[in-house]
């Protein structure tokens, strides 16, 4: 079975929702659309309060090299621009659009594989506001347009979905397999790659079978089963498992001729090109022991966590933690109120005390569990020791910057040390240090 | 809707292992050997272990109280240290000495170094070393053939094990450990003045009979040393539960076996008896329960191999040429010193790292 070195196997929790088909939610009366839903510069609003907008109409445009445009997810009127809760950054600027009725779709051009050349393809992907839907939300058009000196020979679709609880990719692969395959074909063709590989963890036999069926006619596509192990869906680990190529430390998949995209992104590419549909909705898993009726939904961007939770029958009394994304790398939320679903929201989890397992931090007993499972072959406990003692340079020498913050170390630690938190702290200090040094050099000039 | 959810950084789920669970599970792994010890030495086992555990736990609580730290005796680490010290002393030792050894282990070797996780030396072995230095007679000559329990040796068995040749040059069979006997016999071998059947003694010690006896614990020794079989069972439990890394016992036992087989014989190379060396003395206890102590052994896989092989080489060296018949505890203590150094030089190549 293909896999990578290290990793863990937390309780999957997928049984809660893996049998739940993606259900389209009724249209929200109001959407809150943050201007920053991607890595890079926030988008710039191009509408004003009082403007009438159609479903799919651009409301904010990309600003700068790495940015993505944003579209209205309902037909209605812009009623507010202001600061709102944000599942990743805490708060951030957002547009509020009140729905006035049923969808009236804004017209975008449609293409077929034949009449969509590389230039058009990248323009469509950019215009439709596509970002990586696995959670990192890197603008898709930037990722698909590598500098000309980087040769890409393979596009990998990430269907691992290694985060516990989440099943939205699993459902999407079962229900929209054709679209995913067509989206991948478009990406393969327009990046000059030779093949596309879809990597799926072996705990999703239905999705695997379905994807195999639809990909059979296309000789350049391959569907591969990988071992169920966290973090199998981490970019570098997935590439290692599927191709045995090792992305160099500090490098990108491009350095080994590969681009990785999430299966959801491939489906969005298909919809953008063939249907002229911008990224205005996505699949979201609402799950966890604290949820009364765990479900999978297709949700409009800007719909709120609050409404989704109401939709699944509310939270159980025992809920202590509300997570945006998966339990391993997601973001804890203080409140669900006015909290919008954004392009990167793959899951909404309500976890109970039993799942969270809160305990005091005890001293490290050097058990080496974190060393054994680190998928990047680092020594997490040493990194933490260096950061705690403010020896950032030593931490850098131990490759702290290679850490992908997957959280496997903190998961296995018997002393319950929040290792990832310390690593982030150390990385932050190192960034500050190097910025200061750059500033000094500038001054000297 | 409850509007106050927990705010913390990812990951938001953790496994259910804790330090206390680790420690108590190691205690569980020691139980088979402990129970067997009870059948060998009777209530003496209980008194010695009570004194050792009480000494350790009380010292830990007192030190934490004095140093105004949170009292954490419930985590089982002091209990475990105490129990291991009990396993490391002769059954006839005075109880107050055992308690003192435990107190030294906890106060000096553990708490003064910063408490759990910060100690350089294995506390139980430091306690044993302290007792060896302070009460050498009580620690080395107080051997008793198992007595007081219903599995104790009857004289016939003792004869069978030691053999007439061994008896002849040892004052008292019942007060010798097999390693003691071997050391004495080997010394006699090189001394033409002595007219003793040293060669026969070595042969008898290496005989299948003798090995079976040591494997089942029908030999003299410290409380917990005498039961290779049950220590092995507990050790396997540790490995299966992943509470100890298999590399340490494998590297340690493997090295000792190889070296004693190659150079431990009296008729030249590869005439030694590795099984004799594996099942006698504190090797089983040391390899599975002492060298694997998480705090005082290396973090990295390569480091664990180096540490284990180092322990093996030192143990072999001390048994063959050292002043003591047994060298497990000093070997591990010596290797403890090198742990930070080993960790420093065995940093694994990280994913995608290009070594300059």
């Amino acid at each position: 079975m293909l896999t990578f070195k290290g990793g863990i196997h937390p309780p999957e929790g997928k049984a809660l929702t893996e049998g739940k088909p993606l259900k389209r939610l009724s249209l929200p009366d109001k959407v809150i659309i943050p201007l920053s839903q991607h890595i890079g510069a926030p988008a710039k609003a191009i509408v004003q309060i009082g403007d009438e907008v159609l479903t799919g109409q651009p409301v904010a445009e990309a600003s700068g090299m790495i940015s993505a445009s944003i579209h209205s997810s309902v037909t209605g009127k812009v009623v507010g621009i202001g600061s709102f809760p944000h599942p990743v950054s805490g708060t951030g600027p957002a547009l509020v659009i009140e729905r006035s009725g049923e969808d009236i779709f804004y017209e975008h051009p449609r293409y077929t594989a034949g009449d969509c050349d590389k230039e058009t393809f990248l323009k469509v992907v950019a215009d439709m506001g596509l970002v990586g839907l696995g959670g990192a939300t890197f603008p898709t058009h930037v990722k698909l347009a590598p500098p000309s000196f980087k040769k890409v020979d393979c596009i990998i679709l990430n269907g691992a979905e290694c985060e516990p609880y989440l099943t939205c990719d699993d459902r999407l692969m079962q229900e929209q397999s054709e679209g995913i395959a067509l989206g991948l074909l478009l990406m393969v063709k327009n990046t000059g790659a030779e093949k596309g590989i879809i990597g799926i963890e072996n705990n999703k036999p239905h999705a695997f079978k379905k994807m195999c069926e639809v990909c059979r006619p296309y000789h350049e596509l391959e569907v591969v089963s990988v071992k169920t192990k966290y973090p199998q869906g981490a970019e570098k680990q997935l590439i290692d498992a599927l191709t045995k190529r090792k992305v160099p430390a500090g490098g990108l998949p491009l350095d080994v001729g590969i681009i990785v995209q999430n299966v959801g992104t491939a489906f969005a590419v298909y919809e953008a090109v063939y249907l002229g549909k911008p990224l205005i909705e996505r699949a979201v898993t609402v799950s966890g022991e604290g949820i009364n009726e765990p479900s999978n939904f297709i949700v409009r961007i800007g719909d709120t966590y609050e409404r989704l939770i109401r939709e699944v029958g509310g939270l159980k009394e025992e809920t202590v933690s509300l997570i945006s994304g998966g339990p391993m790398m997601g973001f804890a939320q203080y409140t669900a109120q006015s909290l919008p679903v954004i392009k990167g929201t793959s899951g909404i989890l309500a976890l109970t005390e039993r799942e969270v397992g809160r305990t005091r931090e005890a001293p490290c007993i050097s058990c080496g569990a974190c060393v054994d499972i680190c998928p990047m072959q680092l020594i997490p406990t040493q990194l933490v020791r260096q950061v705690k003692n403010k020896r950032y340079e030593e931490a850098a020498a131990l490759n702290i910057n290679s850490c992908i913050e997957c959280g496997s170390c903190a998961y296995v630690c018997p002393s319950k040390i929040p290792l990832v938190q310390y690593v982030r702290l150390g990385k932050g200090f190192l960034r500050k240090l190097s910025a200061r040094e750059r500033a000094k050099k500038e001054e000297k000039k | 809707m409850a509007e106050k959810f927990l705010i913390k950084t990812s990951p938001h789920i953790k496994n259910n292992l804790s330090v206390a669970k680790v420690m108590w599970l190691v205690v569980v792994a020691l139980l088979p050997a402990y129970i067997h010890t009870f059948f060998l030495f009777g209530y003496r086992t209980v008194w010695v272990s009570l004194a050792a555990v009480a000494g350790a736990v009380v010292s830990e609580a007192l030190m934490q109280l004095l140093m105004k730290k949170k009292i954490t005796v419930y985590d089982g680490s002091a209990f475990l240290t105490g129990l291991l010290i009990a396993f490391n002393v002769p059954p006839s030792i005075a109880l107050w000495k055992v308690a003192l050894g435990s107190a030294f282990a906890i106060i000096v070797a553990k708490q003064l170094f910063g408490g759990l996780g910060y100690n350089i030396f294995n506390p139980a072995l430091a306690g044993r070393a302290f007792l060896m230095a302070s009460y050498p007679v009580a620690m080395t000559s107080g051997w008793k053939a198992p007595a007081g329990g219903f599995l104790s040796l009857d004289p016939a068995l003792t004869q069978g094990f030691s053999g007439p040749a061994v008896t002849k040059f040892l004052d008292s069979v019942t007060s010798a450990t097999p390693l003691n006997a071997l050391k004495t016999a080997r010394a006699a071998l090189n001394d033409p003045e002595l007219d003793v059947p040293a060669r026969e003694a070595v042969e008898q010690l290496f005989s299948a009979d003798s090995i079976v006896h040591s494997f089942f614990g029908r030999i003299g020794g410290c409380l917990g040393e005498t039961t290779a079989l049950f220590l092995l069972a507990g050790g396997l439990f540790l490995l299966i539960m992943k509470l100890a890394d298999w590399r340490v016992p494998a590297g340690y036992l493997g090295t000792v076996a190889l070296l004693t087989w190659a150079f431990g014989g009296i008729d030249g190379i590869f005439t030694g008896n590795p099984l004799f060396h594996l099942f006698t003395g504190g090797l089983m206890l040391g390899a599975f329960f002492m060298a694997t102590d998480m705090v005082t052994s290396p973090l990295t896989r390569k480091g664990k191999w180096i540490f284990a092989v180092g322990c093996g080489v030192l143990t072999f060296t001390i048994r063959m040429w050292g002043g003591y018949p047994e060298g497990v505890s000093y070997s591990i203590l010596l290797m403890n010193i090198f742990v930070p150094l080993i960790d420093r030089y065995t940093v694994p190549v990280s994913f995608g790292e290009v070594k300059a």
Side-chain angles (χ1 to χ4, degrees):
Chain A
M1 184 55 64
L2 296 176
T3 191
F4 61 96
K5 203 164 133 193
I8 58 172
H9 196 155
E12 291 177 28
K14 296 197 189 256
L16 290 173
T17 53
E18 64 191 356
K20 306 280 179 70
L22 290 165
K23 196 174 111 192
R24 193 168 285 278
L25 266 190
S26 63
L27 291 173
D29 294 330
K30 188 178 90 177
V31 289
I32 299 165
I33 301 184
L35 295 176
S36 181
Q37 300 190 34
H38 47 262
I39 287 182
K44 218 165 65 210
I46 50 172
V47 289
Q48 280 161 357
I49 294 182
D51 285 1
E52 301 275 346
V53 291
L54 301 180
T55 306
Q57 182 177 337
V59 290
E61 61 181 15
S63 65
M65 277 292 289
I66 299 179
S67 184
S69 54
I70 291 166
H71 304 75
S72 175
S73 55
V74 290
T75 298
K77 194 160 137 189
V78 180
V79 295
I81 300 179
S83 184
F84 282 88
H86 188 285
V88 178
S89 58
T91 54
L95 301 170
V96 184
I97 301 170
E98 235 167 44
R99 186 167 69 90
S100 55
E102 289 307 304
D103 282 327
I104 303 168
F105 287 96
Y106 185 87
E107 280 297 319
H108 289 286
R110 299 168 190 210
Y111 302 88
T112 59
D115 62 13
C116 180
D117 61 20
K118 188 176 170 180
E119 215 170 302
T120 321
F121 173 73
L122 290 175
K123 185 171 180 317
V124 171
V125 169
D127 286 350
M128 297 297 117
L130 263 52
V131 301
L133 295 183
T137 63
F138 191 83
T140 306
H141 65 281
V142 183
K143 215 175 182 181
L144 288 175
S148 53
F149 56 89
K150 297 272 189 199
K151 170 94 182 84
V152 173
D153 70 343
C154 177
I155 307 279
I156 287 178
L157 273 201
N158 186 349
E161 200 168 48
C162 58
E163 277 270 14
Y165 296 102
L166 302 187
T167 58
C168 55
D169 286 352
D170 183 8
R171 294 309 310 184
L172 201 70
M173 284 188 282
Q174 291 182 52
E175 297 172 30
Q176 303 291 351
S177 18
E178 190 71 42
I180 292 171
L182 290 175
L184 175 58
L185 278 173
L186 280 170
M187 292 195 270
V188 170
K189 183 185 145 216
N190 291 300
T191 52
E194 289 146 23
K195 60 177 176 179
I197 307 176
I198 307 172
I200 303 172
E201 273 190 356
N202 63 351
N203 61 353
K204 292 179 258 297
H206 299 299
F208 179 74
K209 198 167 150 245
K210 205 68 201 290
M211 288 312 303
C212 283
E213 275 165 25
V214 301
C215 290
R216 198 162 297 138
Y218 311 108
H219 69 274
E220 61 269 60
L221 300 190
E222 194 185 344
V223 185
V224 180
S225 180
V226 290
K227 191 172 170 188
T228 302
K229 188 168 76 171
Y230 181 85
Q232 185 65 75
E235 220 166 46
K236 293 177 178 183
Q237 278 64 28
L238 187 62
I239 293 172
D240 183 20
L242 292 173
T243 67
K244 295 283 153 241
R245 298 182 202 174
K246 303 253 192 247
V247 178
L252 292 172
L254 274 181
D255 297 327
V256 291
I258 288 170
I259 294 174
V260 181
Q261 294 284 3
N262 177 266
V263 286
T265 314
F267 183 62
V269 164
Y270 156 79
E271 288 197 312
V273 174
Y274 285 82
L275 311 178
K277 184 175 160 190
L279 187 53
I280 55 165
E281 57 186 17
R282 67 155 298 144
V284 178
T285 298
V286 184
S287 188
E289 297 285 349
I291 295 283
N292 278 315
E293 299 160 45
S295 314
N296 281 308
F297 291 119
I298 298 284
V299 184
R300 289 286 162 97
I301 304 297
D303 205 344
T304 61
Y305 282 47
E306 200 180 351
R307 194 172 89 100
L308 260 76
I309 290 170
R310 256 204 314 276
E311 203 67 32
V312 293
L315 297 180
K316 289 185 192 158
E317 201 51 31
E318 307 92 273
T319 305
V320 293
S321 180
L322 183 72
I323 310 297
S324 172
M328 294 301 294
M329 291 189 76
F331 299 88
Q333 307 298 324
Y334 180 69
T335 172
Q337 216 163 16
S338 299
L339 186 65
V341 168
I342 60 170
K343 292 175 181 177
T345 305
S346 50
I348 298 175
L349 305 179
L351 305 179
T352 59
E353 192 70 62
R354 194 187 63 76
E355 293 162 289
V356 173
R358 242 186 310 177
T359 29
R360 279 177 62 101
E361 177 179 344
C364 171
I365 54 168
S366 306
C367 66
C370 56
V371 185
D372 285 345
I373 55 80
C374 179
M376 297 302 288
Q377 283 84 54
L378 303 171
I379 309 183
T381 183
Q382 293 277 23
L383 298 178
V384 169
R385 194 170 300 168
Q386 306 297 1
V387 171
K388 277 185 174 173
N389 291 315
K390 302 192 166 51
R391 290 195 295 249
Y392 305 113
E393 305 288 334
E394 281 88 340
L398 288 168
N399 300 312
I400 192 171
N401 283 319
S402 288
C403 173
I404 58 172
E405 301 176 22
C406 68
S408 299
C409 50
Y411 177 85
V412 297
C413 179
S415 296
K416 306 299 167 202
I417 299 167
L419 291 112
V420 185
Q421 190 176 331
Y422 286 112
V423 166
R424 286 195 189 113
L425 201 69
K427 282 178 168 178
F429 271 107
L430 281 167
R431 267 197 302 276
K432 259 186 223 161
L433 282 178
S434 64
R436 206 176 298 160
E437 237 146 69
R438 264 203 309 277
K440 257 188 209 161
K441 262 184 206 161
E442 298 268 307
E443 248 171 56
K444 270 185 192 162
K445 277 180 197 169
Chain B
M1 196 178 293
E3 285 302 346
K4 257 192 207 161
F5 299 116
L6 192 62
I7 288 294
K8 59 194 267 301
T9 56
S10 63
H12 305 288
I13 50 172
K14 295 188 170 175
N15 72 2
N16 54 14
L17 203 64
S18 66
V19 172
K21 213 167 177 178
V22 169
M23 297 298 168
W24 290 114
L25 279 172
V26 178
V27 170
V28 168
L30 282 169
L31 279 183
Y34 183 79
I35 292 167
H36 182 241
T37 304
F38 175 74
F39 285 129
L40 286 179
F41 300 109
Y43 283 103
R44 190 69 203 163
T45 301
V46 180
W47 306 136
V48 171
S49 55
L50 267 182
V53 168
V57 172
V58 170
S59 315
E60 174 127 313
L62 273 177
M63 275 306 274
Q64 288 177 329
L65 207 65
L66 281 174
M67 292 159 83
K68 297 195 173 63
K69 285 198 201 166
K70 195 173 177 295
I71 292 181
T72 57
V73 287
Y74 57 83
D75 73 11
S77 67
F79 186 99
L80 179 59
T81 300
L83 191 58
L84 284 171
I85 286 177
F87 272 50
N88 265 296
V89 294
S92 60
I93 193 169
L95 295 184
W96 65 271
K97 287 178 184 164
V98 186
L100 192 63
S102 288
F104 178 88
I106 295 294
I107 294 171
V108 179
K110 186 177 172 190
Q111 288 299 336
L112 290 185
F113 277 89
L116 180 68
Y118 296 96
N119 48 303
I120 295 170
F121 297 104
N122 183 319
L125 288 179
R128 177 183 151 91
F130 166 80
L131 289 173
M132 288 283 278
S134 308
Y135 312 105
V137 179
M139 283 297 285
T140 52
S141 66
W143 308 123
K144 271 210 167 69
F150 75 75
L151 279 181
S152 308
L153 286 189
D154 59 62
L157 263 177
T158 315
Q159 286 301 320
F161 152 63
S162 307
V166 181
T167 323
K168 212 166 171 187
F169 66 85
L170 288 172
D171 295 332
S172 155
V173 169
T174 51
S175 68
T177 67
L179 282 170
N180 246 326
L182 181 67
K183 192 125 217 167
T184 321
R186 288 186 69 99
L189 207 58
N190 300 326
D191 192 344
E193 302 282 302
L194 280 173
D195 179 30
V196 287
R199 164 169 290 276
E200 289 87 328
V202 173
E203 274 162 10
Q204 278 161 21
L205 283 168
F206 282 1
S207 72
D209 252 12
S210 145
I211 299 215
V212 168
H213 282 306
S214 12
F215 188 67
F216 291 106
R218 297 192 196 118
I219 50 173
C222 289
L223 262 192
E225 288 184 347
T226 63
T227 49
L229 171 67
F230 294 97
L231 288 169
L232 199 62
L236 289 180
F237 172 77
L238 286 188
L239 298 189
I240 291 165
M241 298 293 288
K242 302 216 159 152
L243 295 167
D245 196 292
W246 62 272
R247 291 169 186 85
V248 174
Y252 195 167
L253 297 176
T255 305
V256 170
L258 189 71
L259 290 176
T260 51
W261 177 42
F263 308 111
I266 50 173
D267 293 318
I269 209 156
F270 292 116
T271 59
N273 190 327
L275 288 180
F276 172 83
H277 281 278
L278 290 184
F279 298 148
T280 53
L283 189 54
M284 282 291 153
L285 184 64
F288 282 104
F289 292 93
M290 305 289 209
T292 55
D293 172 40
M294 293 165 170
V295 176
T296 55
S297 63
L299 276 170
T300 64
R301 288 175 183 173
K302 212 198 279 174
K304 282 173 179 149
W305 281 118
I306 296 173
F307 176 81
V309 171
C311 286
V313 171
L314 284 173
T315 299
F316 168 75
T317 310
I318 295 173
R319 281 189 181 182
M320 286 295 288
W321 301 298
Y324 293 104
E326 171 59 315
V328 168
S329 49
Y330 290 116
S331 308
I332 298 173
L333 282 171
L334 278 171
M335 288 310 291
N336 284 164
I337 303 173
F338 293 103
V339 167
L341 202 66
I342 292 173
D343 273 337
R344 201 184 173 89
Y345 287 103
T346 55
V347 176
V349 178
S350 68
F351 187 104
E353 186 183 353
V354 190
K355 280 274 177 199

